Amino acid sequence: MSSTQQEFKPSLSLLDATMVVAGSMIGSGIFIVSADITRNVGSAGWLLVVWLVTGFMTLTAALSYGELSAMFPKAGGQYVYLKEAFNKLAGFLYGWSFFTVIQTATIAAVGVAFSKFTGYFIPALDINDENILFQIGVFKLYPAQIVSIVIIALLTYINTRGVNGGKAIQTVFTITKLLSLFGLIVFGLMMAAKADVWNANWSNAWEMNKLSEGGMIAGVAGSAVLGAIAASMVGSIFSSDAWNNVTFIAGEIKNPKRNIGLSLFLGTLIVTLIYVAANVMYISVLPMNEIAFAKQDRVAVAAANEIFGNVGTYVIAAMIMISTFGCINGLVLAGARVYYTMAQDGLFFKQAGTLNKNAVPQWALWAQCVWASLLCLSGQYGDLLDMISFVVVLFYVLTIIGIFVLRAKRPDIERPYKAFAYPILPIIYIILGLTFCFFLITMKPLYAGIGFGIVLLGIPVYYIAVANQKK
């Protein structure tokens, strides 16, 4: 894996960078997670509040990251920001968590989602006991998992051939899924909107209730409202995550000091508007109980059936296949650049710090592919996603705190762009993020605790890496 090209080639335009932001964010979540959110909050108004709060947090974080990306326009993104603001340990803990669960578990989960929805066209790919290839104890292997691994490997291979192949896939597939989602929303609002459904959903829009298939379990009031919102936001935050992936590929973006911050704003704004509009469409088409208990949480499938009839199932399946394929590509393309930068600092496998003849970190790409593939086989990707929501937001909060630290620590460094509405918006994000983390670890202590434990496990790993580096 020796390198013949020691520098990244800046070949991504503002459009390409924006498509990386939007394409990495939109996977399968928007088609599914509104069901779980509705079960937790039980009303139309609070469903939209969850998505609006998530959108506000995402936009605020993206606008704040613009300052950091302009200060450090190089590969590695958030890893670099944490290292510069605090120390190498802080950067490593993010990179460690990023490799072990954040990026690779997301790739695995989105890969399995691609296979599951392909099952609409190829029934053998449905994940059910009839399609088990073999079983050893509790381990079960399904054809869908094999297809997931093949897709991840294929996109990894394409990205080892140079950034242009990955760029083309990202731009084409992201534009396609944005137009598809927009079309679905328009058809839903114009052709399938039912005044009686809409009116019924808004008749008690601000009464928060915990729902079960038998009806309302109990009303939610007082501090429990914040807990219900935090538990609900696990899904919306996962659906809105990975917007920061563009910062990892800063070394390959033209005019990075301008285009990274702008692409962060444009990409997150586009996706936030589409996500809120999609949920307005769900509310206009389906009663709240049907949103909450859509079969296998496939809210978009239920909505499409109302809009297009039986063919709607296949319309949505095709949309999700396009969406997840593009999402995996964006995650694969961006993630390897973090491991490359860590290796350059002596904090990851040495081979990951080299570029191949196509000016991409080939070894890091394949290492990411192998671990994500193993997570596909684990069958625990759902649990992993619950774990990482806590960790992801915690690192976002820490990184935004880093803006304040760097303002005091390095006031002389060039800042072509400054965080919007500093310090008000960054402080609001920090408060919201910490509130989310507090209630999440209260509501889901097992998963949040394991996620935090994975972060802490990185501390001894860091000191082992430093010791080896000194040797």
Side-chain angles (χ1 to χ4, degrees):
M1 300 296 178
S2 62
S3 173
T4 58
Q5 168 69 39
Q6 295 298 333
E7 293 183 354
F8 288 116
K9 296 177 181 178
S11 55
L12 302 177
S13 66
L14 174 60
L15 173 64
D16 298 324
T18 303
M19 292 303 99
V20 169
V21 176
S24 299
M25 290 175 71
I26 304 174
S28 59
I30 185 57
F31 303 98
I32 297 170
V33 300
S34 290
D36 184 64
I37 295 172
T38 304
R39 288 194 293 271
N40 279 293
V41 297
S43 66
W46 286 108
L47 171 63
L48 292 184
V49 164
V50 168
W51 284 101
L52 286 168
V53 170
T54 302
F56 173 77
M57 288 179 66
T58 304
L59 277 165
T60 301
L63 289 169
S64 299
Y65 270 50
E67 175 170 327
L68 297 168
S69 67
M71 290 168 65
F72 307 107
K74 54 187 177 181
Q78 195 166 346
Y79 161 77
V80 175
Y81 310 155
L82 288 165
K83 182 184 71 171
E84 295 289 344
F86 300 101
N87 50 44
K88 276 191 173 184
L89 174 59
F92 176 81
L93 290 179
Y94 174 75
W96 159 262
S97 305
F98 187 80
F99 180 76
T100 52
V101 283
I102 294 174
Q103 194 80 346
T104 48
T106 304
I107 291 171
V110 179
V112 172
F114 173 89
S115 299
K116 285 172 67 176
F117 282 91
T118 306
Y120 277 104
F121 301 96
I122 306 172
L125 293 180
D126 278 341
I127 297 182
N128 57 55
D129 289 342
E130 293 179 3
N131 291 331
I132 295 176
L133 292 177
F134 69 87
Q135 180 175 356
I136 302 175
V138 296
F139 174 75
K140 299 176 182 178
L141 180 66
Y142 298 93
Q145 292 169 300
I146 302 299
V147 171
S148 306
I149 292 170
V150 170
I151 291 297
I152 293 168
L154 171 65
L155 288 170
T156 297
Y157 172 75
I158 291 171
N159 277 280
T160 64
R161 308 304 296 169
V163 74
N164 287 329
K167 173 182 76 173
I169 289 173
Q170 194 65 20
T171 300
V172 170
F173 275 78
T174 301
I175 290 174
T176 301
K177 66 183 171 184
L178 287 173
L179 292 175
S180 299
L181 267 168
F182 181 73
L184 179 67
I185 292 165
V186 169
F187 274 106
L189 294 176
M190 293 182 64
M191 297 178 64
K194 302 176 182 177
D196 56 335
V197 172
W198 177 265
N199 292 335
N201 285 340
W202 284 98
S203 63
N204 58 349
W206 302 108
E207 294 177 12
M208 184 178 288
N209 301 301
K210 189 89 170 172
L211 299 181
S212 71
E213 290 196 66
M216 184 182 76
I217 297 175
V220 181
S223 62
V225 169
L226 292 176
I229 291 174
S232 302
M233 284 176 61
V234 169
S236 58
I237 282 178
F238 167 66
S239 301
S240 304
D241 195 28
W243 52 267
N244 61 332
N245 274 222
V246 73
T247 67
F248 307 146
I249 55 173
E252 292 150 286
I253 294 176
K254 299 173 184 175
N255 191 8
K257 291 185 178 182
R258 168 185 177 271
N259 287 343
I260 295 176
L262 195 51
S263 67
L264 281 167
F265 170 69
L266 292 174
T268 53
L269 178 63
I270 290 168
V271 174
T272 297
L273 291 174
I274 283 182
Y275 280 4
V276 173
N279 280 277
V280 171
M281 182 271 289
Y282 294 155
I283 293 167
S284 73
V285 172
L286 300 169
M288 295 310 297
N289 211 57
E290 290 186 26
I291 296 174
F293 301 104
K295 185 178 180 181
Q296 296 184 353
D297 286 355
R298 293 167 178 168
V299 181
V301 172
N305 282 336
E306 289 290 329
I307 300 167
F308 302 112
N310 290 335
V311 73
T313 297
Y314 298 98
V315 170
I316 287 296
M319 282 180 59
I320 295 178
M321 288 173 65
I322 291 169
S323 180
T324 50
F325 190 86
C327 182
I328 296 166
N329 181 73
L331 296 169
V332 167
L333 185 157
R337 275 62 179 176
V338 176
Y339 321 134
Y340 167 85
T341 306
M342 290 175 68
Q344 292 280 307
D345 292 339
L347 297 176
F348 201 71
F349 297 105
K350 185 178 180 180
Q351 301 95 316
T354 60
L355 303 181
N356 66 7
K357 63 181 181 181
N358 300 311
V360 294
Q362 179 174 321
W363 196 95
L365 279 162
W366 284 117
Q368 175 181 254
C369 174
V370 169
W371 186 241
S373 297
L374 289 173
L375 292 178
C376 283
L377 294 175
S378 73
Q380 301 302 312
Y381 24 82
D383 293 344
L384 287 169
L385 295 180
D386 283 336
M387 295 175 201
I388 66 173
S389 295
F390 176 84
V391 176
V392 165
V393 173
L394 196 62
F395 276 117
Y396 283 154
V397 168
L398 191 62
T399 305
I400 290 177
I401 291 173
I403 297 173
F404 294 87
V405 174
L406 286 167
R407 290 264 183 127
K409 185 177 173 181
R410 302 182 65 177
D412 55 327
I413 195 169
E414 182 187 5
R415 288 174 171 81
Y417 169 86
K418 292 188 177 181
F420 182 73
Y422 176 93
I424 297 171
L425 279 185
I427 288 174
I428 290 174
Y429 182 90
I430 291 167
I431 293 170
L432 289 174
L434 290 176
T435 302
F436 168 80
C437 289
F438 171 78
F439 279 102
L440 187 60
I441 205 164
T442 303
M443 300 286 290
K444 296 187 175 182
L446 176 62
Y447 294 134
I450 292 173
F452 191 55
I454 290 172
V455 177
L456 296 180
L457 186 61
I459 296 176
V461 176
Y462 169 78
Y463 286 107
I464 291 170
V466 170
N468 288 335
Q469 188 180 14
K470 288 178 179 178
K471 289 180 183 179

